Amino acid sequence: YVNRLKEDDEACAAALQTGRIFLFHRLSPLLQRTEQGTFRPAALICSDVQSILERLGSDRTLLKESVLIGCSKQNQAQFCLDVGELDPAAVEEACEGNFIDLRKAFFLLTGAEVPLVAKGQALLRWHQTSGFCSATGQPTHRNQAGSQRVCSSSGIVYYPKMSPVVIVLVSDGKRCLLGRQSSFPRGMYSALAGFCDMGETLEETLSREVAEEVGLEVHSVSYSSSQHWPFPHSSLMLGCHASVSPAHTQV
């Protein structure tokens, strides 16, 4: 179903009328507080968004900038829309919610909702930074779903991309190695991570990053799992485990 919406502009436009739209303001998602005191992404219907845009003096054509995220289990299309040109407080009041920085939103949402807003933000960011062709400098134009952009001059087609990143938990069998950046909040630590260089395998990236950051040589590398990570510009985070010899753990 999602693939058909990506390929058929008319079908996607029709799905927008009956789907759910998740609003962002300068890439921060709109969240609403539930009766239980928890938070959820605000899922609005098309007519409500149109009403809000008109009430706040925006052109209704802004709705056409909605980008397809995916669909629910009931095959209801899900879209995201950035209303950064509007006053955020006015939108928050109209929707009875709050725009919250995505990193903070991660701690307020359930596991199933996080990928939804993360993907939405990543797609919106891609469109905001891909308005011109890297080969010709000419404007690019999106399809209805927002799943691609095409250069108006050369016809080159661009698709949203993710950069591969390796994050690894290094252990000597009894202890795990964590690090921190100076920008981290007090008390926050992380497993070591880094981007894959051109031509590198996952194992090569992992070994290089650990050697560069702490001067250790790893072995017994094993893959654990992966997830999309929207920072800084959409990454595919590949989680791994690696071991170091207990006799060589001086960092």
Side-chain angles (χ1 to χ4, degrees), residues 1-246:
Y1 178 63
V2 172
N3 189 59
R4 182 166 70 87
L5 298 185
K6 290 180 179 181
E7 296 180 347
D8 188 331
D9 284 354
E10 291 186 2
C12 187
L16 178 62
Q17 300 301 314
T18 58
R20 292 294 179 268
I21 302 173
F22 298 88
L23 297 185
F24 289 72
H25 188 275
R26 297 180 181 176
L27 301 179
S28 292
L30 180 69
L31 305 186
Q32 293 175 327
R33 188 184 293 271
T34 67
E35 293 180 356
Q36 293 74 33
T38 59
F39 286 85
R40 66 185 178 195
L44 307 176
I45 61 176
C46 183
S47 59
D48 286 345
V49 176
Q50 286 179 331
S51 176
I52 292 170
L53 294 179
E54 292 174 356
R55 197 185 324 158
L56 299 181
S58 176
D59 190 341
R60 289 181 60 179
T61 59
L62 178 63
L63 192 62
K64 296 181 179 179
E65 298 300 314
S66 299
V67 177
L68 178 67
I69 302 175
C71 67
S72 67
K73 293 181 179 180
Q74 293 75 33
N75 271 354
Q76 185 174 59
Q78 299 165 321
F79 295 83
C80 54
L81 175 65
D82 197 293
V83 293
E85 65 181 47
L86 301 179
D87 175 37
V91 180
E92 289 175 336
E93 181 180 0
C95 299
E96 299 181 344
N98 295 98
F99 290 108
I100 297 178
D101 178 79
L102 186 60
R103 288 182 184 271
K104 295 180 181 179
F106 280 180
F107 295 96
L108 301 174
L109 299 173
T110 64
E113 296 166 331
V114 169
L116 181 69
V117 294
K119 183 177 180 180
Q121 192 217 55
L123 287 167
L124 291 170
R125 185 193 299 275
W126 179 75
H127 280 284
Q128 292 176 6
T129 58
S130 303
F132 295 89
C133 176
S134 60
T136 67
Q138 296 300 307
T140 59
H141 302 284
R142 50 166 285 183
N143 62 344
Q144 180 66 44
S147 59
Q148 64 180 44
R149 300 188 72 94
V150 181
C151 174
S152 57
S153 175
S154 66
I156 296 174
V157 181
Y158 293 91
Y159 299 95
K161 296 180 180 179
M162 296 191 294
S163 300
V165 176
V166 175
I167 185 167
V168 56
L169 187 62
V170 179
S171 171
D172 65 358
K174 294 183 178 180
R175 300 171 297 173
C176 292
L177 176 63
L178 300 177
R180 60 176 277 110
Q181 298 180 14
S182 59
S183 61
F184 282 3
R186 184 178 179 180
M188 178 179 174
Y189 293 83
S190 170
L192 304 183
F195 287 93
C196 296
D197 281 349
M198 184 66 72
E200 278 188 330
T201 64
L202 182 152
E203 294 82 2
E204 289 170 342
T205 298
L206 186 156
S207 297
R208 173 181 56 76
E209 284 291 338
V210 174
E212 289 177 353
E213 294 190 21
V214 295
L216 296 179
E217 182 177 344
V218 300
H219 55 84
S220 301
V221 174
S222 62
Y223 169 78
S224 176
S225 60
S226 66
Q227 71 172 73
H228 169 239
W229 187 244
F231 312 108
H233 295 290
S234 198
S235 306
L236 176 61
M237 188 74 76
L238 304 164
C240 298
H241 291 275
S243 301
V244 294
S245 169

